[in-house]
Structures are given as C-alpha cells and as structure tokens.
Short mmCIF file of all heavy atoms in Angstrom, two decimals:
data_model
loop_
_atom_site.label_atom_id
_atom_site.label_comp_id
_atom_site.label_asym_id
_atom_site.label_seq_id
_atom_site.Cartn_x
_atom_site.Cartn_y
_atom_site.Cartn_z
N ALA A 1 0.80 -1.23 0.00
CA ALA A 1 0.00 0.00 0.00
C ALA A 1 0.83 1.27 0.00
O ALA A 1 0.41 2.29 -0.57
CB ALA A 1 -0.94 0.00 1.21
N TYR A 2 2.02 1.25 0.62
CA TYR A 2 2.70 2.52 0.87
C TYR A 2 4.18 2.55 0.45
O TYR A 2 4.87 3.52 0.75
CB TYR A 2 2.57 2.88 2.36
CG TYR A 2 1.14 2.86 2.82
CD1 TYR A 2 0.72 1.97 3.81
CD2 TYR A 2 0.19 3.69 2.24
CE1 TYR A 2 -0.61 1.92 4.22
CE2 TYR A 2 -1.13 3.64 2.63
CZ TYR A 2 -1.53 2.76 3.63
OH TYR A 2 -2.84 2.72 4.01
N ALA A 3 4.64 1.52 -0.24
CA ALA A 3 6.02 1.56 -0.73
C ALA A 3 6.22 2.76 -1.66
O ALA A 3 7.29 3.37 -1.68
CB ALA A 3 6.37 0.26 -1.44
N HIS A 4 5.18 3.11 -2.41
CA HIS A 4 5.29 4.24 -3.33
C HIS A 4 5.45 5.57 -2.59
O HIS A 4 5.87 6.57 -3.18
CB HIS A 4 4.08 4.30 -4.27
CG HIS A 4 2.81 4.70 -3.59
ND1 HIS A 4 2.11 3.86 -2.75
CD2 HIS A 4 2.11 5.88 -3.62
CE1 HIS A 4 1.03 4.49 -2.31
NE2 HIS A 4 1.00 5.70 -2.81
N LEU A 5 5.11 5.57 -1.29
CA LEU A 5 5.30 6.76 -0.47
C LEU A 5 6.61 6.70 0.32
O LEU A 5 6.87 7.56 1.16
CB LEU A 5 4.13 6.93 0.50
CG LEU A 5 2.75 7.21 -0.12
CD1 LEU A 5 1.68 7.27 0.96
CD2 LEU A 5 2.78 8.50 -0.93
N GLY A 6 7.40 5.68 0.04
CA GLY A 6 8.70 5.56 0.70
C GLY A 6 8.68 4.79 2.00
O GLY A 6 9.70 4.76 2.71
N ALA A 7 7.57 4.14 2.31
CA ALA A 7 7.50 3.37 3.56
C ALA A 7 8.36 2.12 3.45
O ALA A 7 8.35 1.41 2.44
CB ALA A 7 6.05 2.98 3.87
N ALA A 8 9.11 1.85 4.52
CA ALA A 8 9.93 0.64 4.61
C ALA A 8 9.38 -0.22 5.74
O ALA A 8 8.67 0.26 6.62
CB ALA A 8 11.38 1.00 4.89
N THR A 9 9.69 -1.50 5.71
CA THR A 9 9.19 -2.41 6.74
C THR A 9 10.33 -3.19 7.38
O THR A 9 11.32 -3.52 6.72
CB THR A 9 8.16 -3.41 6.17
OG1 THR A 9 8.80 -4.22 5.16
CG2 THR A 9 6.97 -2.69 5.57
N VAL A 10 10.15 -3.48 8.67
CA VAL A 10 11.10 -4.30 9.43
C VAL A 10 10.29 -5.28 10.26
O VAL A 10 9.42 -4.88 11.03
CB VAL A 10 12.00 -3.45 10.35
CG1 VAL A 10 12.87 -4.35 11.22
CG2 VAL A 10 12.87 -2.50 9.53
N HIS A 11 10.60 -6.56 10.09
CA HIS A 11 9.92 -7.58 10.89
C HIS A 11 10.65 -7.71 12.22
O HIS A 11 11.83 -8.06 12.26
CB HIS A 11 9.93 -8.92 10.15
CG HIS A 11 9.22 -10.01 10.90
ND1 HIS A 11 9.80 -11.22 11.20
CD2 HIS A 11 7.97 -10.05 11.43
CE1 HIS A 11 8.95 -11.97 11.87
NE2 HIS A 11 7.83 -11.28 12.02
N GLY A 12 9.96 -7.40 13.31
CA GLY A 12 10.62 -7.45 14.60
C GLY A 12 9.63 -7.27 15.74
O GLY A 12 8.53 -6.75 15.56
N SER A 13 10.04 -7.71 16.92
CA SER A 13 9.17 -7.68 18.10
C SER A 13 9.74 -6.75 19.16
O SER A 13 10.91 -6.33 19.10
CB SER A 13 9.05 -9.09 18.68
OG SER A 13 10.31 -9.53 19.17
N VAL A 14 8.93 -6.47 20.16
CA VAL A 14 9.38 -5.69 21.31
C VAL A 14 10.54 -6.40 21.99
O VAL A 14 11.53 -5.77 22.40
CB VAL A 14 8.22 -5.47 22.30
CG1 VAL A 14 8.73 -4.84 23.60
CG2 VAL A 14 7.15 -4.59 21.68
N ARG A 15 10.43 -7.70 22.12
CA ARG A 15 11.51 -8.47 22.77
C ARG A 15 12.82 -8.28 22.03
O ARG A 15 13.88 -8.12 22.67
CB ARG A 15 11.13 -9.95 22.82
CG ARG A 15 12.17 -10.83 23.48
CD ARG A 15 11.68 -12.26 23.63
NE ARG A 15 10.55 -12.33 24.53
CZ ARG A 15 9.92 -13.45 24.84
NH1 ARG A 15 10.30 -14.61 24.29
NH2 ARG A 15 8.90 -13.44 25.69
N GLN A 16 12.80 -8.29 20.72
CA GLN A 16 14.02 -8.11 19.94
C GLN A 16 14.58 -6.70 20.12
O GLN A 16 15.80 -6.51 20.18
CB GLN A 16 13.76 -8.40 18.47
CG GLN A 16 13.52 -9.87 18.17
CD GLN A 16 13.11 -10.10 16.73
OE1 GLN A 16 12.22 -9.42 16.21
NE2 GLN A 16 13.74 -11.06 16.08
N ILE A 17 13.70 -5.73 20.21
CA ILE A 17 14.15 -4.36 20.42
C ILE A 17 14.81 -4.22 21.78
O ILE A 17 15.90 -3.65 21.91
CB ILE A 17 12.97 -3.37 20.29
CG1 ILE A 17 12.45 -3.33 18.86
CG2 ILE A 17 13.38 -1.96 20.74
CD1 ILE A 17 11.16 -2.54 18.69
N LEU A 18 14.18 -4.77 22.81
CA LEU A 18 14.72 -4.62 24.17
C LEU A 18 15.98 -5.44 24.38
O LEU A 18 16.81 -5.08 25.22
CB LEU A 18 13.64 -5.01 25.19
CG LEU A 18 12.40 -4.12 25.22
CD1 LEU A 18 11.43 -4.58 26.29
CD2 LEU A 18 12.79 -2.66 25.46
N SER A 19 16.12 -6.54 23.65
CA SER A 19 17.33 -7.37 23.80
C SER A 19 18.50 -6.84 22.99
O SER A 19 19.64 -7.30 23.16
CB SER A 19 17.03 -8.81 23.37
OG SER A 19 16.81 -8.88 21.96
N GLY A 20 18.23 -5.87 22.13
CA GLY A 20 19.28 -5.32 21.29
C GLY A 20 19.46 -6.05 19.97
O GLY A 20 20.31 -5.66 19.16
N LYS A 21 18.69 -7.12 19.74
CA LYS A 21 18.80 -7.83 18.47
C LYS A 21 18.29 -6.99 17.31
O LYS A 21 18.71 -7.16 16.17
CB LYS A 21 18.03 -9.15 18.55
CG LYS A 21 18.65 -10.18 19.48
CD LYS A 21 17.87 -11.47 19.48
CE LYS A 21 18.50 -12.50 20.41
NZ LYS A 21 17.73 -13.78 20.44
N LEU A 22 17.36 -6.09 17.63
CA LEU A 22 16.85 -5.14 16.64
C LEU A 22 17.16 -3.74 17.13
O LEU A 22 16.61 -3.29 18.13
CB LEU A 22 15.35 -5.32 16.44
CG LEU A 22 14.64 -4.32 15.52
CD1 LEU A 22 15.27 -4.31 14.14
CD2 LEU A 22 13.16 -4.64 15.42
N GLN A 23 18.07 -3.10 16.46
CA GLN A 23 18.49 -1.75 16.84
C GLN A 23 17.61 -0.72 16.16
O GLN A 23 17.38 -0.78 14.95
CB GLN A 23 19.96 -1.52 16.44
CG GLN A 23 20.95 -2.42 17.15
CD GLN A 23 21.24 -1.95 18.56
OE1 GLN A 23 20.97 -0.80 18.91
NE2 GLN A 23 21.79 -2.83 19.39
N LEU A 24 17.12 0.22 16.94
CA LEU A 24 16.36 1.33 16.36
C LEU A 24 17.31 2.35 15.77
O LEU A 24 18.25 2.80 16.44
CB LEU A 24 15.48 1.99 17.43
CG LEU A 24 14.41 1.12 18.08
CD1 LEU A 24 13.62 1.93 19.09
CD2 LEU A 24 13.48 0.50 17.04
N GLU A 25 17.06 2.72 14.55
CA GLU A 25 17.90 3.72 13.88
C GLU A 25 17.57 5.12 14.41
O GLU A 25 16.44 5.38 14.85
CB GLU A 25 17.66 3.68 12.37
CG GLU A 25 18.06 2.36 11.71
CD GLU A 25 19.54 2.10 11.81
OE1 GLU A 25 20.33 3.07 11.76
OE2 GLU A 25 19.92 0.92 11.96
N PRO A 26 18.53 6.05 14.37
CA PRO A 26 18.25 7.43 14.80
C PRO A 26 17.16 8.05 13.93
O PRO A 26 17.21 7.97 12.70
CB PRO A 26 19.59 8.14 14.59
CG PRO A 26 20.62 7.05 14.61
CD PRO A 26 19.95 5.86 13.99
N VAL A 27 16.18 8.65 14.57
CA VAL A 27 15.04 9.21 13.84
C VAL A 27 14.61 10.55 14.45
O VAL A 27 15.02 10.92 15.55
CB VAL A 27 13.83 8.24 13.86
CG1 VAL A 27 14.09 7.01 13.04
CG2 VAL A 27 13.45 7.87 15.30
N ASP A 28 13.76 11.24 13.70
CA ASP A 28 13.20 12.51 14.16
C ASP A 28 11.89 12.31 14.91
O ASP A 28 11.50 13.16 15.72
CB ASP A 28 12.96 13.43 12.95
CG ASP A 28 14.23 13.66 12.16
OD1 ASP A 28 15.10 14.41 12.64
OD2 ASP A 28 14.35 13.09 11.06
N LEU A 29 11.23 11.20 14.64
CA LEU A 29 9.97 10.87 15.31
C LEU A 29 9.87 9.37 15.46
O LEU A 29 10.10 8.63 14.51
CB LEU A 29 8.79 11.40 14.48
CG LEU A 29 7.38 10.91 14.89
CD1 LEU A 29 7.02 11.41 16.30
CD2 LEU A 29 6.34 11.39 13.87
N VAL A 30 9.54 8.94 16.67
CA VAL A 30 9.24 7.53 16.91
C VAL A 30 7.94 7.47 17.69
O VAL A 30 7.73 8.24 18.62
CB VAL A 30 10.40 6.80 17.65
CG1 VAL A 30 10.68 7.45 19.01
CG2 VAL A 30 10.08 5.32 17.82
N TYR A 31 7.05 6.58 17.28
CA TYR A 31 5.76 6.51 17.97
C TYR A 31 5.26 5.08 18.01
O TYR A 31 5.69 4.21 17.24
CB TYR A 31 4.73 7.43 17.30
CG TYR A 31 4.36 7.07 15.88
CD1 TYR A 31 3.39 6.12 15.60
CD2 TYR A 31 4.95 7.72 14.78
CE1 TYR A 31 3.01 5.81 14.31
CE2 TYR A 31 4.59 7.42 13.49
CZ TYR A 31 3.63 6.47 13.25
OH TYR A 31 3.27 6.16 11.96
N SER A 32 4.33 4.87 18.93
CA SER A 32 3.62 3.60 19.02
C SER A 32 2.20 3.91 19.47
O SER A 32 2.01 4.59 20.48
CB SER A 32 4.30 2.66 20.00
OG SER A 32 3.71 1.38 19.95
N ALA A 33 1.23 3.41 18.72
CA ALA A 33 -0.17 3.77 18.99
C ALA A 33 -0.88 2.72 19.84
O ALA A 33 -1.29 3.00 20.96
CB ALA A 33 -0.91 3.98 17.67
N GLY A 34 -1.02 1.50 19.36
CA GLY A 34 -1.80 0.50 20.07
C GLY A 34 -1.02 -0.47 20.91
O GLY A 34 -1.60 -1.25 21.68
N LEU A 35 0.29 -0.44 20.82
CA LEU A 35 1.13 -1.43 21.50
C LEU A 35 1.08 -1.35 23.01
O LEU A 35 1.00 -2.37 23.71
CB LEU A 35 2.57 -1.27 21.02
CG LEU A 35 3.63 -2.13 21.74
CD1 LEU A 35 3.37 -3.62 21.49
CD2 LEU A 35 5.03 -1.74 21.27
#
C-alpha cells in the first residue's frame, strides 16, 4: 500500500528491540499507537 510513499518495513518484536537484536535507527519521530 505505501512503498510508493517511501514506507519501509522491518519484521521485529518488542523483545528483539529490548534485547538489542533489533536496533532502532536514529530518527526525528518515533511513535507507538496501540502497542
């Protein structure tokens, strides 16, 4: 739906983020709505 708008996807979980297996890249905005 949104690749044409430049959207990228990463398959990953909260556990991977907190364990460091998935590193968050430096950004100007980070958000989470329903999590």
